[in-house]
Amino acid sequence: MTDPTSAPGSAAPGGRVGVIDIGSNSIRLVVFDGLKRAPLALFNEKVLCGLGRGLERSRRLNPEGTIQGLENLRRFVHLARLMDVVQLDVLATAAVRDAIDGPTFVAQVERQCGTPVRVISGGEEALLSADGVLCGIPDADGVMGDLGGGSVELVSVEGGRTGEAVTLPLGPLRLADATGDNPKKARAIVEKAVGSVDWLARRRGRDLYLVGGAWRAVARIHMERTSYPLHVIHQYAIARPQAEYFLRWIAGQGRKALEKMTGVSRRRLEAVPYATVVLGRLIQDMMPERVVFSAYGLREGHLFSQLDPALRRRDPLIEACRDVAARGSRFTLDGDRLFDWTAGLFADDVPGRRRLRHAAALLSDTAWNEHPDYRAEQAFHGALRLPYGGIDHRGRVILGTALHARYGGDPDAPAILPYGPLAAAVDLVWARAVGV
C-alpha cells in the first residue's frame, strides 16, 4: 500500500494526490486523480467539527471539536492510504494558527496520523484561495473573497495573476462569538474591518468571486428561491442588483423558514446570516457587476501553485475534455483533428465559441456506450454537469446542445428545454450547427 505522507507541497511523481484542509468550521479531505491542470476530484468529504467555535473568547480550540477533529483526521488519512494516494498534504488555517493551543493540536495530529501538518499564514491562505479561483476561472477579473469559519481572505485578481491581499477576522464562528450570536451586532464589526481595505474601491465595477461553504450555502438558497434549473455552484453568477435584493430578502427570513426551502444543513445555515452581512458590505464597497461563486478554492489553489507556469497557462476546459475523451472515446482519431477539420465552416467564430467547438469535438465520441434511445439526452446532461472548471453556465448549455445535436437529439426534447433560457437563442442555433 502506498504511503501518502509526503512532505507538504512536494510534487507527486504521478498518481492520486490528496489535500486535507483543517478549517475553523470544517475539516475536509479531497482526493484528486493527479497533479495536473484540470484535476478530477475522486473523493470529497467534509465534517463540521467547529474547531474555532468559542475561539474569540477563550483563545483555545473547541474541546469537543478537537476530539471530533482528531478522530476524523485519523479516518481521512486511512482513507487516503486505501485510495493509494501518493501525496497527501495537510493544511491548517485560521483556527489552528490563532489558537494558543494550536501547536499542541498540530503535534497530536502528526503523532496520531503519521503525517506532517502545514499551518499556513493568513497571507498564504489568501493567495492559495485566489490561485484556486484562477485555476477554475482563468479570466477572473476583480476580487476573490474566501470566507472560512474564522476569517475572510480578500485578494485582487486580474490577467491570471493575484494582486493586493488581506486577511480579516470576520469568519461566521468568530463573529458569532464576538456578538453573542447576534448578526445585527456583527454589522459594526464588519463595516469597520472591510472599510479599512482601501483598495477595494479601486476594483469597483468588476466581479466579486466567492469561495467557502457559507457562501456556497447562500448560492444554494438563491437557486432554490429563483427555481434555477442547473444546480452547479461553480460560476453561478448573480447580477449586483439581484444580489442586493436577495440579501435584503434573506435578512428577513428566520432559520426555520430557510430550512424548509433548501437542502443546506442546519449547522451550515447558522453561518448564513453572518455570511450575508460580510457579503453585503463587500458589495457596498466594491459595487461589483456580478457576484460569482467558485467551487474552487484553497485546495485546488494548493495544487495549482505546484504546477509549472506553462501548465498553469493551459485551458482547463480543453484539458478536462481531453481527459474525458481519453477515458471514453473509441477511436484513435482525436477531437483535435476533428476541430481542425471543421475550422473552415466556422471561420468567423470568436475565441469563446472556438474553445466550445474544440471541447465539443473532444467529447464527440464519449456517449457511444449509452442506450440509443437516451444517448442524446445523456450527452447533453453529461456536458451540462461536467465536474470541471473553465466553463460558465451559459457555456455548459451551449456545449451540451452541440453534443445533443451530434447524437440526433430533438431540439424541442423536454429534457433540455428548462436550460434553454441560460443561453441566447443565437448561441443554441450555432451549437446545433456545430453538432450536426
Side-chain angles (χ1 to χ4, degrees):
M1 185 177 297
T2 303
D3 182 2
T5 56
S6 62
S10 60
R16 296 173 175 178
V17 297
V19 182
I20 295 178
D21 176 5
I22 305 175
S24 299
N25 195 25
S26 66
I27 298 177
R28 185 186 294 267
L29 165 66
V30 184
V31 174
F32 299 92
D33 65 345
L35 191 60
K36 53 189 182 179
R37 182 60 186 88
L40 174 65
L42 304 175
F43 183 89
N44 188 334
E45 182 181 333
K46 77 171 185 296
V47 287
L48 294 173
C49 297
L51 281 174
R53 194 176 298 276
L55 177 64
E56 187 70 11
R57 297 188 304 273
S58 70
R59 309 309 302 164
R60 293 181 177 274
L61 297 174
N62 182 275
E64 293 180 1
T66 58
I67 294 172
Q68 188 180 3
L70 287 168
E71 177 183 337
N72 281 282
L73 284 165
R74 292 193 299 269
R75 184 171 65 88
F76 280 166
V77 171
H78 181 63
L79 287 172
R81 290 194 176 103
L82 292 178
M83 286 183 276
D84 290 328
V85 168
V86 300
Q87 173 184 318
L88 179 64
D89 296 342
V90 184
L91 310 177
T93 56
V96 175
R97 70 171 173 257
D98 292 343
I100 59 176
D101 57 347
T104 301
F105 178 73
V106 168
Q108 288 179 303
V109 174
E110 293 183 336
R111 183 175 64 253
Q112 295 185 23
C113 299
T115 185
V117 177
R118 177 178 166 194
V119 181
I120 61 177
S121 68
E124 188 176 8
E125 182 179 358
L127 294 177
L128 288 177
S129 295
D131 266 345
V133 169
L134 292 174
C135 177
I137 312 175
D139 59 350
D141 181 17
V143 174
M144 182 284 309
D146 183 0
L147 183 67
S151 63
V152 61
E153 282 69 46
L154 303 173
V155 184
S156 64
V157 289
E158 181 180 5
R161 297 183 179 182
T162 58
E164 299 101 328
V166 66
T167 296
L168 303 173
L170 300 179
L173 290 182
R174 182 162 281 169
L175 289 172
D177 289 345
T179 62
D181 198 16
N182 188 331
K184 292 183 179 179
K185 291 183 179 179
R187 293 185 186 279
I189 299 173
V190 171
E191 287 179 3
K192 181 178 179 181
V194 176
S196 68
V197 185
D198 56 2
W199 54 263
L200 279 178
R202 298 198 295 272
R203 297 294 181 273
R204 279 178 173 258
R206 302 186 184 184
D207 287 339
L208 174 61
Y209 302 90
L210 302 182
V211 177
W215 276 334
R216 287 194 295 270
V218 171
R220 291 189 180 97
I221 295 169
H222 188 266
M223 287 177 171
E224 182 76 13
R225 170 72 174 166
T226 59
S227 300
Y228 191 78
L230 180 56
H231 285 198
V232 172
I233 294 295
H234 191 64
Q235 289 194 247
Y236 179 61
I238 310 173
R240 178 174 50 80
Q242 284 71 41
E244 291 172 329
Y245 173 82
F246 174 67
L247 291 179
R248 290 193 296 271
W249 174 85
I250 205 171
Q253 304 301 306
R255 290 177 185 172
K256 290 185 179 180
L258 294 177
E259 287 173 6
K260 292 179 181 178
M261 66 173 297
T262 177
V264 178
S265 70
R266 286 188 177 184
R267 290 192 65 178
R268 185 62 81 187
L269 279 174
E270 292 174 1
V272 166
Y274 299 99
T276 56
V277 170
V278 176
L279 177 55
R281 177 63 200 215
L282 289 175
I283 290 176
Q284 179 182 329
D285 280 21
M286 192 184 152
M287 296 296 285
E289 181 178 348
R290 301 180 304 163
V291 172
V292 183
F293 296 86
S294 171
Y296 288 46
L298 183 144
R299 295 170 294 274
E300 292 78 12
H302 173 66
L303 298 188
F304 191 60
S305 69
Q306 299 175 53
L307 303 179
D308 66 69
L311 190 53
R312 286 167 62 108
R313 287 192 294 269
R314 291 186 185 177
D315 188 323
L317 173 63
I318 301 305
E319 293 299 301
C321 290
R322 283 203 177 102
D323 281 352
V324 174
R327 293 193 297 267
S329 296
R330 295 169 294 179
F331 302 110
T332 56
L333 178 65
D334 61 31
D336 292 311
R337 293 174 65 184
L338 179 59
F339 170 67
D340 291 338
W341 183 63
T342 58
L345 298 173
F346 300 94
D348 296 330
D349 281 352
V350 296
R353 281 188 170 180
R354 280 199 294 273
R355 69 188 294 268
L356 289 174
R357 181 168 58 83
H358 195 175
L362 289 166
L363 298 177
S364 63
D365 192 47
T366 55
W368 63 270
N369 57 344
E370 302 289 349
H371 188 285
D373 292 349
Y374 301 100
R375 196 166 288 160
E377 181 180 328
Q378 291 294 84
F380 176 81
H381 286 292
L384 198 67
R385 299 161 185 167
L386 274 173
Y388 294 104
I391 184 170
D392 61 14
H393 287 200
R394 168 181 168 271
R396 289 175 180 272
V397 173
I398 294 171
L399 179 57
T401 299
L403 293 174
H404 186 262
R406 177 259 183 271
Y407 285 102
D410 180 355
D412 295 320
I416 72 171
L417 287 180
Y419 306 97
L422 303 187
V426 66
D427 289 330
L428 300 182
V429 171
W430 175 86
R432 284 191 284 270
V434 169
V436 172

